Amino acid sequence: MGLNYYQIKKNILRARKLVIRGTNAAGSGHPGGSFSMAEILGCLFNKHLKFDPDNPQWDDRDRLVLSKGHAAPGLFSNMAVAGYFPESEIDTLRKFGSKLQGHPDLKCPGVEFCGGSLGTGLSYSIGIALAAKIDSKNHHVYTIIGDGESDEGQVWEAAMTASKYKVDNLTAFLDRNFIQQDSYTEKIMPLDENLEGSEISEMWKDASRWKTGDKWRSFGWNVIEIDGHRVEQIDAAIMKANATKGVPTIIISRTIKGKSIEHMEDNPQWHGKAPDSDVVPIINLELDSQFMIAPSIIAGDMTNLENEIKRCVTGRADYIHLDVMDGQFVPTKTFDHNKIKELRPLTVIPFDTHLMITEPVKYVKDYVDAGSDIITVHAEVTDESSFGEIHDVLRQNQVGVGLSINPDTELPEWSYKFLQSLDQLIVMSVVPGKSGQKYIEETHEKMTRLNSILKQHNFSGYIEADGGVNLENIGSVFSDGARAFVGGGAIIGQRDVRAAIRDFRNEVLKSRRYELLAKANELGGSDLVNKWIGLHVIGEKQEQIKKIAQEAGFI
Ligand code: DX5
Ligand code: ZN
């Protein structure tokens, strides 16, 4: 079984867009805390939570308690995506008579707990978890608490109680975004130690300084600490938590308030404020412009791929690109599913398996069983029938479905009917066979052609650029529409993988900032460009963005 990575990601994106839509329509609400927990809710709703939107009171459902109730737009958006009510109902957020109020309310079928009075959700969760035990029910209780609400003494009374009564059918998440209401948690009431200084948001990126986990350990809890925006880490943590018996578990998730929208990130202003209508289209474009970096390990030491995986992990790769070559589809041979199986236990980072083999339909199941999360096969060696079969096998196993085309191949017409449900399209920008080749310039032009076909057929997946991507061309490859970037020579071939990935990200970021400014310029000229720039008040962003706007002649 795969992680279902892309499907979860797509639904998280849909939910984030609904948060923007709802808070904008209401003219108020809490986007910041909705976005910090977006991946946590996304993993729960799309993978772990047992529920039935057509029967919200189903007795055996898992219970989700949103203790940090002000982040209701995040909860409602996920409920809409999950089918509890139509997505358009988000327009009634906070309106008189609506079931979607500023804080979760039992009026809304599917909501388990009336949030708003902070500090009480964990106690309530313990109650329903203990009730489930008494009734010999085996549903699970998931509770999300905030770091701001951890100022409440009741949270710590609950912490003692859960461990005394061994409430192991309860998993809590601490959405550790370091911001409460209008300032930083560590200024108002520190949960950590020694977190003082001026570079506040930078300093908090240093995990070695976080001590909140120790507090919970001392209360007798099983503590798991993760990056709360990494789907694979959340997924693994939930599985570990569910397997832990005799103690309650808390998953301390380091998150970023306002995550995904640069001007909202780490910015206390966006705790409780709605975006203006004129910037909403730019925000939606920014949400559509999330991107991923995938190092290709064949560019490293083929005799020690284990070490290459480790370099990807320390380098903070989004996922790991595995080039399988069989010596027939391409002249070279690399490795097969047996090797992938051996590498799988080394990390939870998604495996992006690129099958450059003839007859992929024969072997695709082996690659599923080896632990791939996304599998891409080539259009040159599939047809409507074999790709249909591959598509179904992958979907059944929660593995992302990818199709790849060589530089000389156009998207075949038979593939059009699959485009709507395709997760990934690899557009090869070198002739496959080896890493370290030069990017084929015609690919830019090909991408323009492809984009119009993809749009016509409602493609909502990710375009992955593969071959010869480097720091010089990645910005324009992003502008062409690619959202996932494979890096062989330019990442794995480098001594410092972490720095190489960081540089890749920064180049994409520059290009993305330009695209967003161009959108602002198109929609509202220099006034909107200036407004957009003015929103970026944290760190050095504003100056950097202003410079891009000036160079482009937007202001
Ligand atoms: C080519 C492979 C690519 C390649 C990437 O056949 O599919 O993944 O190894 O390496 P670079 O980035 O060096 O072209
Ligand atoms: Zn590849």
Side-chain angles (χ1 to χ4, degrees):
M1 232 13 141
L3 172 60
N4 216 12
Y5 186 71
Y6 274 137
Q7 293 297 314
I8 296 175
K9 286 276 235 203
K10 280 186 199 174
N11 283 344
I12 292 171
L13 172 64
R14 267 168 79 182
R16 273 205 171 94
K17 284 188 172 171
L18 288 175
V19 168
I20 294 298
R21 177 171 163 180
T23 52
N24 169 252
S28 61
H30 296 82
S34 296
F35 281 3
S36 59
M37 64 168 188
E39 278 73 22
I40 297 171
L41 280 192
C43 276
L44 284 171
F45 271 97
N46 296 290
K47 185 134 185 213
H48 294 280
L49 211 57
K50 279 188 282 157
F51 63 92
D52 178 2
D54 297 324
N55 182 12
Q57 291 304 316
W58 174 41
D59 214 26
D60 290 332
R61 72 191 185 280
D62 288 336
R63 271 62 166 175
L64 172 65
V65 173
L66 181 64
S67 186
K68 40 167 279 181
H70 51 279
L75 175 64
F76 296 150
S77 297
N78 274 280
M79 289 176 70
V81 172
Y84 281 92
F85 46 82
E87 292 188 5
S88 57
E89 215 166 317
I90 205 74
D91 293 337
T92 69
L93 181 72
R94 291 180 154 236
K95 301 247 160 72
F96 192 65
S98 168
K99 63 179 186 239
L100 308 181
Q101 284 307 312
H103 293 78
D105 189 293
L106 298 184
K107 265 205 292 282
C108 178
V111 166
E112 299 286 348
F113 170 74
C114 290
S117 188
L118 290 171
T120 60
L122 193 56
S123 308
Y124 178 85
S125 305
I126 293 169
I128 53 176
L130 286 173
K133 280 186 184 267
I134 292 166
D135 292 343
S136 306
K137 297 278 186 191
N138 58 13
H139 56 253
H140 204 83
V141 182
Y142 296 96
T143 304
I144 303 183
I145 65 171
D147 47 4
E149 79 165 313
S150 299
D151 292 356
E152 302 282 354
Q154 187 171 341
V155 170
W156 303 100
E157 294 173 37
M160 285 188 279
T161 310
S163 99
K164 170 172 175 175
Y165 292 104
K166 304 188 188 339
V167 188
D168 53 7
N169 52 346
L170 164 76
T171 301
F173 285 89
L174 172 64
D175 180 2
R176 182 69 170 123
N177 61 31
F178 287 88
I179 289 175
Q180 66 187 111
Q181 196 117 349
D182 52 5
S183 186
Y184 299 94
T185 55
E186 304 317 282
K187 284 193 172 171
I188 295 174
M189 183 57 72
L191 267 177
D192 266 299
E193 289 166 18
N194 302 322
L195 287 176
E196 288 158 7
S198 51
E199 283 297 318
I200 290 171
S201 62
E202 278 307 306
M203 182 168 75
W204 292 338
K205 289 178 187 150
D206 177 2
S208 65
R209 300 169 76 164
W210 310 340
K211 299 282 181 273
T212 316
D214 293 346
K215 277 197 173 67
W216 285 90
R217 267 180 220 104
S218 77
F219 277 79
W221 283 58
N222 173 39
V223 174
I224 303 173
E225 289 169 274
I226 60 164
D227 175 338
H229 295 301
R230 290 227 171 212
V231 166
E232 71 278 10
Q233 290 191 23
I234 301 168
D235 179 62
I238 294 173
M239 288 193 284
K240 245 196 240 166
N242 289 350
T244 304
K245 301 294 168 210
V247 280
T249 294
I250 184 159
I251 300 172
I252 297 190
S253 314
R254 166 57 173 127
T255 58
I256 294 173
K257 204 144 177 172
K259 173 72 179 175
S260 285
I261 302 300
E262 264 205 88
H263 72 264
M264 294 186 179
E265 287 186 359
D266 266 338
N267 181 351
Q269 276 181 12
W270 292 97
H271 170 82
K273 192 166 88 168
D276 289 345
S277 298
D278 52 358
V279 297
V280 166
I282 316 173
I283 289 178
N284 280 331
L285 179 61
E286 188 166 356
L287 289 174
D288 279 327
S289 307
Q290 307 300 312
F291 59 91
M292 265 97 56
I293 310 290
S296 164
I297 58 171
I298 61 160
D301 178 359
M302 288 293 285
T303 64
N304 192 354
L305 290 175
E306 288 71 12
N307 191 46
E308 298 305 340
I309 297 281
K310 284 181 197 149
R311 294 174 74 220
C312 294
V313 175
T314 46
R316 303 191 175 176
D318 294 305
Y319 47 75
I320 300 175
H321 189 76
L322 301 171
D323 286 306
V324 176
M325 302 185 189
D326 65 353
Q328 288 175 32
F329 179 72
V330 287
T332 338
K333 238 184 175 172
T334 51
F335 48 81
D336 65 9
H337 53 92
N338 293 310
K339 189 72 207 173
I340 296 179
K341 203 174 204 153
E342 272 171 47
L343 299 175
R344 185 65 280 188
L346 297 176
T347 178
V348 294
I349 294 179
F351 276 180
D352 174 30
T353 302
H354 180 186
L355 292 182
M356 283 161 279
I357 61 174
T358 52
E359 297 193 89
V361 67
K362 265 197 192 162
Y363 306 101
V364 68
K365 190 64 176 34
D366 294 335
Y367 288 90
V368 168
D369 295 341
S372 307
D373 298 295
I374 304 152
I375 294 182
T376 300
V377 298
H378 267 262
E380 296 80 12
V381 285
T382 42
D383 56 20
E384 184 172 346
S385 141
S386 65
F387 189 76
E389 206 178 307
I390 290 169
H391 173 278
D392 293 348
V393 170
L394 298 181
R395 275 275 169 274
Q396 279 154 18
N397 289 283
Q398 307 204 349
V399 174
V401 184
L403 183 66
S404 177
I405 48 173
N406 280 345
D408 287 339
T409 308
E410 293 299 323
L411 209 50
E413 260 179 51
W414 62 256
S415 71
Y416 292 179
K417 67 181 252 204
F418 296 104
L419 292 181
Q420 199 174 350
S421 74
L422 197 65
D423 292 311
Q424 171 167 289
L425 176 69
I426 296 188
V427 181
M428 292 300 306
S429 35
V430 298
V431 175
K434 56 176 192 270
S435 69
Q437 306 182 71
K438 205 174 146 345
Y439 183 89
I440 298 173
E441 291 300 322
E442 284 77 46
T443 319
H444 293 302
E445 198 199 313
K446 184 177 183 181
M447 289 281 290
T448 318
R449 278 199 310 278
L450 277 173
N451 279 328
S452 83
I453 301 175
L454 296 176
K455 205 167 165 200
Q456 264 171 38
H457 295 275
N458 298 321
F459 173 72
S460 65
Y462 287 72
I463 296 176
E464 184 170 58
D466 187 3
V469 177
N470 59 31
L471 285 177
E472 280 69 54
N473 59 29
I474 193 168
S476 53
V477 176
F478 170 82
S479 296
D480 291 341
R483 293 292 176 266
F485 304 90
V486 174
I491 295 183
I492 290 294
Q494 306 301 306
R495 194 184 49 79
D496 186 344
V497 169
R498 185 148 166 191
I501 290 179
R502 197 182 46 224
D503 293 346
F504 258 48
R505 283 196 215 287
N506 285 337
E507 282 307 312
V508 177
L509 199 61
K510 257 193 241 161
S511 175
R512 185 171 85 179
R513 285 170 169 176
Y514 168 82
E515 297 293 333
L516 300 178
L517 287 164
K519 182 84 181 173
N521 191 46
E522 172 200 323
L523 294 174
S526 58
D527 283 352
L528 192 54
V529 170
N530 277 318
K531 179 172 177 177
W532 181 252
I533 297 169
L535 289 170
H536 297 78
V537 294
I538 299 292
E540 326 229 294
K541 292 174 193 172
Q542 193 164 91
E543 280 313 304
Q544 295 162 351
I545 295 174
K546 198 171 178 180
K547 208 168 142 227
I548 298 172
Q550 280 164 342
E551 280 168 11
F554 296 147
I555 49 169

